[in-house]
Amino acid sequence: MHEEMQRVAQVAAPVERAKAASVLMTDYSGRVTELARIRREAIEEAAAGGMSQSEIAAHLGVSRGRVGQLASQGPPPERAFFGTDMVTVSLGGKYEAGKASEDMREVVAREDLDNFDHLRKLLATLKLDSKYEVIPPTGIVNLNRDNHVVVCGPRLSPIIAQVLEGDDHLRFQKDRAWHLMDLKTQEVYRSPMDEDGSAADYGYLARLPRLDGKGTFIYIAGIHAIGANGVVHYLENNLADLYRDVRTRRFSTLISCRYDPKTLEVIESERVSPIYRHEA
């Protein structure tokens, strides 16, 4: 850290030195936020393990009251589920229907834009900034980066389809229509939208491996676009419990949802399959 500050202090041009200082301050600020989260999580784990506030205070060399303050400072532990810095949300894009080839533009489904808005608000409560990008209709997306959420069905991205084949528990499949299948129980989950037109759908939620083997990304998709909204709704209401269960390990599970057909707002969501862990 001292060397980094010395490097900045030695930048000759004043404006460049100020710029370098600002960049380093932003980096340090992010580190402080993440360290506060780690400390809060550690205190909560110690308390859950049976230690009293007085015992924790003795170990930390602070007062009992200070332990209470530290336990409430910083972002909640489940922030780590998404990452430690700016989160990029990749949304599946497709060509606008009904246009001549020279006029075709890449568009994103309304449901996916709503998804980003909900994710943005959720991430803000975790002290994480976010931005979105559109995956081109070719389906080519860079999965080899940190702090990444992908919202894109396998039919829109061959890269995603290949990664999903590595899940030995749950799978998107297609016969007369796209559906989800639990490979362990052989249970098939068909969208009520396709069966009887009901305002309900299923979604897939997972932490999957990056192609470079150096990390993971969060993956969200529905049988239809609204199914992904159901997954986001589930995260909004169950993230803390889910994080306590899986932390940042690889997993996959299925979510069902019901929605208002007029507003497309998800009314309720629930997990309908086990949480399958992909790591020993």
Side-chain angles (χ1 to χ4, degrees):
M1 185 179 296
H2 177 71
E3 291 179 354
E4 291 177 318
M5 288 191 290
Q6 283 291 97
R7 175 181 56 77
V8 170
Q10 292 171 2
V11 174
V15 173
E16 293 302 316
R17 188 163 64 247
K19 186 188 300 184
S22 296
V23 170
L24 192 57
M25 289 173 67
T26 299
D27 181 40
Y28 284 173
S29 176
R31 296 185 195 185
V32 168
T33 299
E34 177 59 12
L35 287 169
R37 185 204 68 80
I38 293 171
R39 181 178 61 189
R40 177 174 173 175
E41 182 176 37
I43 291 173
E44 290 183 6
E45 286 182 6
M51 292 185 69
S52 67
Q53 280 200 343
S54 296
E55 291 173 320
I56 296 173
H59 280 282
L60 296 183
V62 299
S63 68
R64 183 175 180 278
R66 180 58 177 159
V67 170
Q69 292 176 341
L70 295 178
S72 62
Q73 288 180 351
E78 58 267 26
R79 177 183 195 258
F81 183 83
F82 289 103
T84 60
D85 206 339
M86 169 76 74
V87 175
T88 300
V89 181
S90 298
L91 305 176
K94 53 188 176 181
Y95 287 122
E96 189 174 14
K99 297 286 185 179
S101 58
E102 63 272 13
D103 297 325
M104 288 193 300
R105 296 185 298 113
E106 298 171 9
V107 296
V108 175
R110 169 190 166 186
E111 293 91 334
D112 285 340
L113 289 176
D114 287 344
N115 265 331
F116 174 71
D117 189 49
H118 281 272
L119 280 171
R120 177 183 58 80
K121 293 174 182 176
L122 172 60
L123 291 165
T125 67
L126 303 174
K127 298 188 185 302
L128 283 169
D129 292 327
S130 58
K131 61 182 179 180
Y132 82 86
E133 64 179 19
V134 179
I135 300 172
T138 58
I140 303 301
V141 56
N142 175 19
L143 300 177
N144 299 330
R145 42 185 161 161
D146 297 329
N147 313 308
H148 192 198
V149 178
V150 176
V151 185
C152 176
R155 63 184 177 275
L156 295 180
S157 173
I159 293 178
I160 292 297
Q162 289 180 14
V163 174
L164 287 173
E165 289 179 3
D167 186 346
D168 296 327
H169 312 279
L170 302 168
R171 190 70 53 85
F172 277 94
Q173 294 184 339
K174 184 179 182 182
D175 44 28
R176 68 177 189 273
W178 282 94
H179 58 275
L180 283 157
M181 183 172 184
D182 187 320
L183 301 177
K184 297 300 181 181
T185 66
Q186 296 300 301
E187 186 166 359
V188 175
Y189 296 87
R190 295 188 180 276
S191 174
M193 295 171 65
D194 297 324
E195 299 298 291
D196 59 15
S198 300
D201 200 17
Y202 290 102
Y204 174 98
L205 168 65
R207 180 182 296 278
L208 299 173
R210 289 168 23 172
L211 296 179
D212 62 4
K214 297 180 180 179
T216 59
F217 65 96
I218 296 298
Y219 179 68
I220 296 171
I223 296 177
H224 297 282
I226 197 69
N229 296 58
V231 173
V232 173
H233 183 273
Y234 177 81
L235 288 173
E236 288 176 307
N237 293 280
N238 299 277
L239 180 59
D241 290 339
L242 179 63
Y243 175 73
R244 279 192 289 269
D245 202 351
V246 301
R247 299 297 173 121
T248 57
R249 296 184 290 271
R250 289 166 50 194
F251 76 96
S252 60
T253 192
L254 300 182
I255 307 297
S256 70
C257 71
R258 291 195 309 109
Y259 64 93
D260 185 324
K262 295 181 179 179
T263 64
L264 298 183
E265 282 292 319
V266 174
I267 300 169
E268 64 179 24
S269 60
E270 65 176 339
R271 182 167 56 81
V272 293
S273 79
I275 295 176
Y276 288 111
R277 290 164 178 78
H278 298 190
E279 302 171 9

